[in-house]
Amino acid sequence: MTTFEQVLSTGGVRSVFQPIVDLRSGAVVAYEALARGPRGGELERPDALFAAARAADRLADLDEACRAAAFRGAVQHGLFAPQALFVNVEPEVLDSAPLDDLLAIAQAAPGDLRVVLEITERALAARPAELLRTVARVRELGWRVALDDVGADPLSLAFMPLLQPDVVKLDLRLVQRRPGPAVAQIMNAVNAYAEATGALVLAEGIEDEKHLVMARALGARLGQGWLFGRPADGPAPALEAAEIALPATVPGDEAASSSPFALLPAGTELRRAPKSLLIEVSKQLEREAMRLGDTCVVASTFQEARHFTPATAVRYRDLVDRTGFVCALGEGLGDQPVPGLRGADLDQGDPVRGEWDVVVLSPHFSAALLARDLGDTGPDAQRVFEYALTYRRDTVVAAARSFLSRVAPRAAVQVVAERPAAPAPAPAAPAPAAATTGEALLQQALAATTSGVTISDMTRPDQPLVYVNQAFERLSGFRAEEVLGRNCRFLQGEDTDRAAVAAVRDAIAEGREHRALLLNHRGPQREPWWNEVLLSPVRDADGRVVQYIGVQDDVTDRVLAQRALEQEQHRTRGYLERLEDLAHHDPLTGLPNRRRVEERAEAALWDARLSGSAVALLFCDLDAFKAVNDELGHAAGDELLVAVARRLRSAVRRGDLVARLGGDEFLVVLPDLDPAGAAAHADRLAGELVRAVAEPLLVAGRRLSPAVTVGVAVSPADGDGFGRLLHRADQRMYAAKPTARRVEAGG
């Protein structure tokens, strides 16, 4: 059995390359480098490889080896410019590893490679100031940036304009699942960003033609997935190669060296107002942010900690709960003024120290109150500020980036200059002879329970498991000695819901209890099972979370039964909707049938009696339709009826109703007419319908010029009931129908 240390020491990490194609031309414009372990070994799969790295606390080393393998493989196979090479950074590495390592790798990369670095919003949320600086320096080396897994977490939409990615990678679930409100939200945000910046949208997970159709509908220009090619050792020889059309290079970031107020464009009109007015303007922006929800970024500065009052703290707790990312800066404010609120302690010399700024940024809204203290004395509420209230998106984005360039790393992140010592082995369970009676009973209870029980040590890097019971061994498919010392994420797979995982991660970061339903994988065979887990924090005497207890149950049967029931209910609803549709619509033309048109017409006549308006019925009958069926066949007759229905629909107003009564008879209902001109309007439309239907068309390879005769009846002159009006219109149609007219057919 090959160990992880052997893989790393012998250079066993390799890369495979999956093509990225231009969806318009079908040409390959880039390849993504994907990590693999030694062929045929237990660590060949990336999930097993990265799980082993986590267990050995060597994740940063593996990530570095993956990028080195990507560059080495790309050079070996000639994947040079103008094509691009996409390489990603493991989010957990960006959470904690020194970012100078990333810069060193970028500087050492072969110059002929056109590299696109993939990162996630999680990295930006964890270490915004450092990551923004690092991305700017990487861009100076000629690299480009892609925002990965967009749509997996709403925060990715909020951070898009701040990271300014050249490529937006849509999470594969967007093309593989049915559309819904969340997909529409993501589509609108991504397309707005792409339209404004020229960024390319890349859809992942395209495995069949349906996925391809959805990817194009979502606005993707690039695609990736098994439909175009699976990961392979080298380039895809069967596909044409072309240059990737990346947008213009993002200019250097000036926001980090400027204050938000200083970023106002030259010539911006500045006003003056007392602090009392700015307080109300700030509150309104905060309310707008809460309305925008979890795709919104809020950034504020309070000058000094004393201005962050208890009332302000309450408002910002609400913002943390209801928006995507919130930060607040001020002298003495600290890294986390309230739980979940990101902060920074401003130096007295920082120009932001003298400002009052509130920035609200989301995919479709941007606003910033940027104010400068004029140094007034006197009552605090009457101090005068010079300010601007701007909705210019470029200014708001720059101001937000200025804030994030100052935000301290997340408190849970430990930035280290060198690799920490390997974690000590997990403590063994106490021997029964040395245990107290209470401890022995607890051990027996945990061993006997049918629920899996785990304990994670939150004081050690990567929060490893330090206890698992026998039930968890059965659930996970691994023995205790195989999992102790590892983070329990090894249960997850590529198909585990990332939003559910993110919710777990957020709950742990906030130290609160959380219940989740996760798709996990059992044993080396990676058998999928549904895990309902309850996570509960354990605190020490100082209130610090030191452990998390997880109680886990296999609810696969319940989930599958529920999904089967939902599918059956969905099918039943579909059948009922289809039956309802057939009851009211003609199956050939899709037009309302006689039953439906009678209901609609009676409703229109009732409204007409109340409002004093008029309703007209136009009875339309195709001339000599039987001859078409006899000469060309019934399929040709059906084709003609569909064409006539389409022409009748296109000739009437949006509020008018076109129906098929049966055979070659159609009815047009014109509601809400002026009684004085109703008859003239109906007669005029009847003529337009005759001309519209008579336009030549090809049916079954024959050129036909259909003819229709129209009879008109108008309420209330011809009656105020549907039956009476229909009879009158039918009579007038027959009176007007020529005895010898027929559809003219040519060769």
Side-chain angles (χ1 to χ4, degrees):
M1 177 178 177
T2 304
T3 67
F4 174 75
E5 294 295 341
Q6 290 172 331
V7 171
L8 208 58
S9 63
T10 60
V13 178
R14 60 191 177 89
S15 278
V16 292
F17 301 92
Q18 185 171 32
I20 296 172
V21 305
D22 186 316
L23 295 183
R24 297 180 184 178
S25 66
V28 178
V29 295
Y31 286 88
E32 180 176 6
L34 303 171
R36 296 290 187 270
R39 285 185 177 85
E42 301 88 345
L43 301 181
E44 179 176 10
R45 289 173 52 91
D47 53 351
L49 185 63
F50 277 85
R54 293 185 187 97
D57 196 27
R58 301 289 301 275
L59 196 59
D61 294 324
L62 174 60
D63 198 61
E64 180 180 347
C66 289
R67 280 191 296 279
F71 297 147
R72 186 171 59 248
V75 171
Q76 177 185 350
H77 296 291
L79 303 180
F80 299 121
Q83 291 183 313
L85 178 68
F86 281 64
V87 295
N88 54 63
V89 182
E90 178 67 19
E92 295 169 58
V93 173
L94 281 178
D95 277 358
S96 57
L99 293 179
D100 285 344
D101 291 352
L102 178 59
L103 287 173
I105 294 171
Q107 290 167 340
D112 292 337
L113 295 181
R114 193 176 185 185
V115 181
V116 179
L117 181 69
E118 298 183 32
I119 59 178
T120 66
E121 87 291 334
R122 170 181 164 180
L124 185 56
R127 307 165 71 184
E130 295 168 278
L131 191 61
L132 286 176
R133 286 195 298 270
T134 301
V135 167
R137 291 170 64 187
V138 165
R139 278 195 164 114
E140 291 174 1
L141 299 174
W143 284 23
R144 297 301 190 92
V145 174
L147 182 58
D148 197 11
D149 297 334
V150 171
D153 189 318
L155 196 57
S156 60
L157 304 181
F159 279 164
M160 259 193 310
L162 300 174
L163 188 63
Q164 296 179 300
D166 306 285
V167 179
V168 177
K169 295 192 70 175
L170 301 180
D171 184 71
L172 59 85
R173 290 175 298 177
L174 298 181
V175 300
Q176 294 184 354
R177 294 186 178 179
R178 293 184 60 185
V183 173
Q185 179 189 45
I186 296 163
M187 176 183 175
N188 286 335
V190 169
N191 280 270
Y193 174 78
E195 183 179 48
T197 64
L200 298 179
V201 180
L202 191 161
E204 296 183 287
I206 302 176
E207 298 180 358
D208 55 37
E209 291 294 337
K210 290 182 179 179
H211 296 163
L212 178 59
V213 170
M214 178 59 73
R216 286 171 170 157
L218 290 171
R221 174 69 182 276
L222 306 178
Q224 181 179 2
W226 289 356
L227 182 64
F228 310 114
R230 299 198 179 201
D233 290 335
L239 297 176
E240 178 186 353
E243 180 176 2
I244 187 170
L246 292 170
T249 304
V250 176
D253 184 18
E254 300 176 357
S257 59
S258 301
S259 71
F261 186 87
L263 293 169
L264 285 167
T268 300
E269 179 183 358
L270 299 177
R271 308 172 189 173
R272 295 194 175 191
K275 179 178 178 179
S276 57
L277 175 61
L278 298 189
I279 290 174
E280 296 307 317
V281 175
S282 300
K283 289 180 179 179
Q284 176 57 34
L285 290 176
E286 293 164 10
R287 288 191 290 269
E288 186 68 25
M290 285 192 281
R291 184 187 67 81
L292 294 167
D294 53 10
T295 62
C296 181
V297 170
V298 182
S300 304
T301 180
F302 291 89
Q303 296 188 290
E304 303 172 35
R306 63 187 176 91
H307 296 310
F308 193 80
T309 65
T312 306
V314 171
R315 298 202 315 272
Y316 272 74
R317 285 193 190 99
D318 289 341
L319 283 169
V320 167
D321 289 340
R322 297 171 60 180
T323 61
F325 182 89
V326 191
C327 64
L329 314 181
E331 183 182 348
L333 205 53
D335 295 348
Q336 188 171 250
V338 298
L341 176 62
R342 305 295 296 281
D345 187 1
L346 295 177
D347 296 331
Q348 283 194 344
D350 193 317
V352 180
R353 168 67 178 74
E355 296 183 8
W356 178 326
D357 305 317
V358 180
V359 172
V360 175
L361 178 64
S362 74
H364 304 295
F365 179 86
S366 56
L369 169 65
L370 306 178
R372 180 169 55 191
D373 194 340
L374 295 179
D376 282 3
T377 57
D380 187 62
Q382 298 306 312
R383 291 194 298 120
V384 176
F385 287 74
E386 189 173 43
Y387 81 98
L389 184 62
T390 180
Y391 301 90
R392 287 177 53 118
R393 190 166 184 83
D394 55 347
T395 303
V396 176
V397 169
R401 289 172 63 84
S402 175
F403 273 111
L404 264 67
S405 71
R406 292 168 165 83
V407 171
R410 189 159 47 206
V413 173
Q414 301 295 324
V415 181
V416 293
E418 57 186 30
R419 187 182 309 113
T436 66
T437 302
E439 290 172 337
L441 287 174
L442 177 60
Q443 292 288 336
Q444 293 173 12
L446 291 176
T449 181
T450 57
S451 296
V453 178
T454 61
I455 301 177
S456 300
D457 187 347
M458 307 306 292
T459 67
R460 291 164 57 186
D462 207 31
Q463 296 91 43
L465 295 171
V466 295
Y467 173 83
V468 299
N469 69 348
Q470 293 177 1
F472 179 80
E473 291 182 287
R474 291 191 296 270
L475 289 176
S476 68
F478 292 101
R479 298 187 305 275
E481 56 266 27
E482 295 178 286
V483 299
L484 292 178
R486 300 172 64 182
N487 186 289
C488 62
R489 70 173 67 86
F490 72 87
L491 294 171
Q492 301 166 16
E494 295 179 357
D495 48 357
T496 302
D497 188 338
R498 296 186 184 181
V501 173
V504 170
R505 187 172 63 233
D506 291 343
I508 291 174
E510 297 167 13
R512 55 182 169 82
E513 185 177 277
H514 183 72
R515 186 181 295 275
L517 181 64
L518 299 171
L519 180 61
N520 285 164
H521 297 79
R522 180 178 291 117
Q525 293 77 28
R526 307 298 291 166
E527 174 194 355
W529 62 285
W530 285 97
N531 183 5
E532 185 175 63
V533 56
L534 174 64
L535 300 171
S536 301
V538 178
R539 302 179 185 275
D540 63 11
D542 297 326
R544 186 172 62 112
V545 176
V546 293
Q547 292 178 332
Y548 251 94
I549 297 177
V551 180
Q552 312 180 48
D553 289 289
D554 186 342
V555 294
T556 303
D557 291 342
R558 189 190 77 192
V559 172
L560 295 181
Q562 182 178 351
R563 291 193 169 187
L565 177 60
E566 291 172 352
Q567 290 175 356
E568 188 61 34
Q569 290 173 337
H570 177 72
R571 272 197 300 269
T572 302
R573 284 194 298 270
Y575 295 148
L576 292 174
E577 290 171 0
R578 179 59 177 158
L579 289 172
E580 181 71 13
D581 186 70
L582 289 173
H584 291 93
H585 289 82
D586 170 44
L588 176 63
T589 63
L591 294 177
N593 59 16
R594 185 186 185 101
R595 176 182 172 186
R596 185 61 171 166
V597 74
E598 182 173 356
E599 295 173 354
R600 296 279 298 275
E602 289 287 9
L605 289 166
W606 178 262
D607 290 342
R609 286 192 289 271
L610 294 177
S611 63
S613 59
V615 176
L617 267 58
L618 282 64
F619 196 113
C620 308
D621 184 81
L622 278 177
D623 298 333
F625 174 69
K626 184 175 182 300
V628 175
N629 278 336
D630 293 344
E631 294 178 17
L632 302 179
H634 287 280
D638 289 348
E639 186 178 347
L640 176 60
L641 290 173
V642 171
V644 170
R646 185 166 54 247
R647 290 181 174 186
L648 292 176
R649 261 192 308 230
S650 64
V652 301
R653 302 174 303 175
R654 176 174 296 180
D656 297 337
L657 178 65
V658 179
R660 184 186 177 200
L661 298 179
D664 58 354
E665 297 176 341
F666 297 86
L667 186 68
V668 178
V669 180
L670 310 179
D672 196 26
L673 299 177
D674 180 1
H681 175 78
D683 289 338
R684 183 168 59 254
L685 180 60
E688 293 176 3
L689 294 179
V690 170
R691 289 188 291 275
V693 170
E695 288 291 326
L697 77 162
L698 287 176
V699 174
R702 300 285 295 278
R703 184 180 179 84
L704 303 182
S705 296
V708 66
T709 302
V710 183
V712 177
V714 180
S715 74
D718 295 315
D720 60 0
F722 175 74
R724 174 63 181 167
L725 287 172
L726 182 65
H727 179 67
R728 189 68 178 132
D730 190 10
Q731 286 181 323
R732 288 175 176 165
M733 183 275 296
Y734 273 106
K737 182 179 284 287
T739 57
R741 181 187 291 177
R742 57 173 288 157
V743 175
E744 299 175 4

